[in-house]
Structure formats: C-alpha cells, structure tokens
C-alpha cells in the first residue's frame, strides 16, 4: 500500500544497483539488497511498519479477522520468501551497524488497475521506515535505488498505490516526480481502503 549510496554491487538478478553507508546522529546506516537470510527479520519489519502506520498512526478500523488474514498473506514469512525468490521483484533494506533492519523498499511488475498500466512496467509496492528511524534519509535513499533498478529492469513509467488518507506519503511521492492519475479500492477482507494511483514518467530523472 504504501504503500521508498554510490558504491555499486551486483543485485539479486545480476543488475547493478547502488548501495552504500552513511553516518547519522552517530549511527552508521547501510542500504543493501535483501537476502534470503533476511526473511524472518524482513517479515517482522514489514508487519511492524504496517501496524505503526495504519493501526497505531491512522487508526484504520480494520475488522480484526480480516486484518489478521491480510497481515499473514501480505507479510508472513512464506510470502516474503516468495517475493525474495522472484527474479521480477527486488527488495532493499536499510540497517544499522548492529544489523537491525529499519526500513525497506519493494518493487516489481505493475499490478494496479489503471488502463495505461501493464505488467511490463514497474511498480513501487512498498516504501516503509519504522517510526523511530524516520527523518534519517533512509526513505530517500531507498527510493533512489528502487528507481535506478526499475529504470534498468523495466524501462518506462513507474506506478504506485498510496492510501488516500496518507497526505505525507503523497507529498513525498509528489516531490519524487509522481502525479496522481487514478483511484481504486484496495480490499482488506470485507474492508475497502480508498487508494490513489500515482505514476512517474520513465524519463524523469529528478531524484
């Protein structure tokens, strides 16, 4: 739903992606591709970031049974492992010097219901940072590496879906060159989130 560095390394599929480390408030932070060994920690990160954003933050009143099923299907270990093993997907994580995962970005083929969108185009599926890790530049770094990868792997427009009530995320995406082009309903069991569809021209190099 929300919805997310100049030393180059080979990524999961052989494409070169930019990563690196920087120092913030006495901490060393690193952006790197997610590995199969990250599955459990990444699953926890995804679930925690989702809950901090939509349950603790926006207090969206999802029906408990629907929420539990959605969380398992979207952020469970099996789902995360399948995403990491899929060569059409790519995930990066931001970690601290102790190896704790603080933020992540996940991209792949576009699945959004828009007449101009297609599976050969890229989508930014998720870009999240834990509350305690926000304001340290990880979101921007993850966004840049994700856009670089999509430009090489799936040249053309980049899409994303963002909850209509998340004004902060919409502003961030707007500054990154995305514009609102549509709306749709995102189902969480019997609950439907009102989502906006954003798109960024594939020639945009504003990051």
């Amino acid at each position: 739903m929300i919805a997310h560095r100049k030393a180059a390394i080979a990524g999961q599929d052989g494409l070169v992606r930019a990563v690196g480390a920087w120092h913030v408030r006495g901490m060393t932070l690193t952006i790197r591709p997610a590995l199969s060994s990250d599955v459990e920690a990444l699953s926890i990160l995804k679930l925690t970031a989702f809950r901090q954003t939509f349950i603790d933050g926006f207090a969206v009143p999802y029906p408990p049974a629907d929420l539990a099923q959605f969380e398992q299907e979207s952020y469970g270990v099996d789902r995360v492992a399948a995403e990491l093993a899929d060569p059409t997907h790519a995930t990066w994580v931001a970690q601290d010097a102790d190896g704790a995962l603080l933020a992540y970005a996940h991209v792949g083929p576009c699945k959004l219901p828009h007449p101009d969108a297609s599976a050969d185009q890229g989508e930014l599926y998720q870009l999240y940072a834990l509350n305690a890790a926000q304001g340290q530049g990880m979101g921007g770094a993850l966004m840049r590496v994700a856009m670089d990868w999509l430009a090489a792997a799936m040249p053309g427009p980049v899409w994303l879906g963002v909850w209509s009530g998340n004004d902060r995320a919409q502003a961030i995406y707007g500054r990154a060159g995305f514009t609102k082009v549509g709306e749709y309903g995102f189902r969480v069991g019997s609950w439907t989130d009102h989502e906006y569809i954003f798109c960024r021209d594939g020639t945009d190099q504003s990051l």
Side-chain angles (χ1 to χ4, degrees), residues 41-174:
L42 183 55
S43 173
I44 293 171
L45 170 63
K46 288 191 171 195
L47 179 58
T48 303
F50 169 77
R51 289 179 175 173
Q52 287 183 348
T53 302
F54 294 100
I55 308 302
D56 302 336
F58 292 113
V60 180
Y62 297 115
D66 293 337
L67 176 62
Q69 181 176 355
F70 171 79
E71 290 181 337
Q72 178 60 37
E73 292 176 349
S74 300
Y75 307 119
V77 170
D78 290 344
R79 175 64 177 271
V80 173
E83 291 169 349
L84 292 180
D86 188 335
T88 68
H89 288 229
T91 300
W92 301 267
V93 294
Q95 69 177 40
D96 64 18
D98 295 324
L101 304 188
L102 306 176
Y104 75 98
H106 176 205
V107 302
C110 182
K111 300 182 291 186
L112 290 168
H114 188 280
D116 295 331
S118 60
D120 62 336
Q121 299 169 353
E123 179 181 344
L124 176 61
Y125 297 139
Q126 296 153 339
L127 178 63
Y128 283 102
L130 297 177
N131 287 348
Q134 293 182 7
Q136 299 175 8
M138 284 179 277
L142 286 164
M143 172 75 81
R144 288 191 292 272
V145 75
M147 294 302 101
D148 288 349
W149 187 89
L150 287 172
M154 301 175 185
V158 179
W159 302 80
L160 63 85
V162 58
W163 183 50
S164 59
N166 195 339
D167 295 335
R168 181 174 179 271
Q170 292 169 42
I172 290 171
Y173 294 138

